[in-house]
Amino acid sequence: MEVFNFTPYGDVSITYQWDSKAMSFEDYTKQYYRRRVHAKKTYAFTIGGLQLAELVKFYNRHKGLQEPFYFAYDGVMEVCYFSQAINPRCKRENGVIKAYSCEVVLEVDRQVTSYPTAQETDVLPNPHGETDQVFDWHTQLVTAGQRTERMARQTKPTRTITGKWSGLKSERDTLIRLFNSHCRVPLTFRYNGEDLKVVFPDKIEIKDKRELRNIIGYECQMELEVID
């Protein structure tokens, strides 16, 4: 197979998604079912340069989204496919294309990285900056004439915490490892003096901050579900 040798510039986004199945009950508790051995992984980034014809030839040789190729990032070589059609934006002078930029999305065929077994004692690092919390009793309101009846649906409220995680590459690697290990298995989150049990969302997006080809940091926003 060929290697995708076009170099991303700027930030690179990596998305991991489990496509897990959630079964909700009347009391708003949930039970999750894992449907994948590995989380689905996609890359999204921008490439550009002078040789638009080379990108078009590579895309057409692989019949768009049909044929696989190798892509190396962060020291890992993976088998990938184009995940969407390419749409180059061309800069022209006197009717001649001088340069182009193009958003590229690649889907990894199957992750090759191995992750450790999830443990509920694994600790999720704290987010940076502000966080938002939602407490919801899911009270059912039933209106009859001029009266509104309020019916309890559960014995305690559901709680979610939303925040932004960021930091150095080592912290990024920790978050990726935890997400890929846990799927919907709870882990420990120390928040405002509490040791909470939380569940990751089904999908996260890691935005790598880069200098040249080096990853120097990351950002990731996500909503955690508190289960204890």
Side-chain angles (χ1 to χ4, degrees):
M1 284 189 292
E2 287 188 87
V3 177
F4 185 91
N5 283 322
F6 301 89
T7 303
Y9 68 83
D11 296 344
V12 173
S13 293
I14 308 174
T15 300
Y16 296 93
Q17 184 169 359
W18 281 105
D19 290 325
S20 56
K21 182 179 180 181
M23 180 177 291
S24 299
F25 299 94
E26 289 187 359
D27 62 355
Y28 285 88
T29 59
K30 293 180 181 179
Q31 189 169 357
Y32 296 103
Y33 297 91
R34 183 170 178 165
R35 298 195 293 185
R36 289 179 172 272
V37 176
H38 304 280
K40 178 181 177 181
K41 180 180 180 181
T42 58
Y43 294 99
F45 51 82
T46 301
I47 61 174
L50 304 176
Q51 302 299 323
L52 173 59
E54 295 303 316
L55 172 63
V56 174
K57 288 177 182 178
F58 185 92
Y59 180 78
N60 288 334
R61 280 199 303 272
H62 293 84
K63 301 178 182 178
L65 283 57
Q66 296 182 44
E67 301 293 337
F69 49 87
Y70 287 116
F71 174 65
Y73 183 77
D74 193 25
V76 179
M77 182 76 78
E78 295 173 299
V79 176
C80 293
Y81 294 83
F82 285 104
S83 184
Q84 64 183 35
I86 59 172
N87 183 21
R89 176 172 295 177
C90 302
K91 296 182 179 180
R92 303 168 70 243
E93 291 182 7
N94 300 321
V96 178
I97 296 175
K98 294 295 185 179
Y100 78 94
S101 64
C102 184
E103 299 292 328
V104 174
V105 181
L106 305 181
E107 179 179 332
V108 176
D109 182 51
R110 182 181 181 276
Q111 287 202 66
V112 297
T113 304
S114 297
Y115 297 99
T117 302
Q119 304 290 335
E120 290 195 15
T121 53
D122 291 339
V123 178
L124 176 66
N126 278 303
H128 295 277
E130 297 180 352
T131 57
D132 293 326
Q133 294 191 73
V134 175
F135 296 85
D136 193 345
W137 281 88
H138 299 282
T139 303
Q140 183 177 6
L141 303 180
V142 179
T143 301
Q146 297 183 2
R147 296 189 58 187
T148 299
E149 298 290 339
R150 289 167 168 79
M151 302 173 60
R153 297 295 300 272
Q154 54 197 72
T155 58
K156 62 179 181 180
T158 58
R159 180 183 179 186
T160 59
I161 301 173
T162 302
K164 179 180 287 187
W165 280 254
S166 61
L168 301 176
K169 184 179 183 299
S170 59
E171 297 168 285
R172 161 210 185 258
D173 293 344
T174 296
L175 183 59
I176 290 174
R177 173 180 57 80
L178 288 171
F179 182 83
N180 280 280
S181 295
H182 277 261
C183 185
R184 293 306 188 99
V185 176
L187 72 164
T188 302
F189 180 51
R190 292 173 180 147
Y191 181 78
N192 196 33
E194 299 179 90
D195 277 2
L196 305 175
K197 293 296 182 185
V198 298
V199 174
F200 277 116
D202 186 70
K203 174 182 177 181
I204 65 169
E205 180 182 1
I206 303 287
K207 182 173 288 187
D208 283 345
K209 302 297 182 180
R210 307 193 317 148
E211 286 185 357
L212 300 178
R213 298 190 181 190
N214 298 319
I215 302 169
I216 60 172
Y218 83 102
E219 288 182 354
C220 176
Q221 183 165 328
M222 59 183 172
E223 180 184 270
L224 303 174
E225 178 185 348
V226 180
I227 62 170
D228 188 10

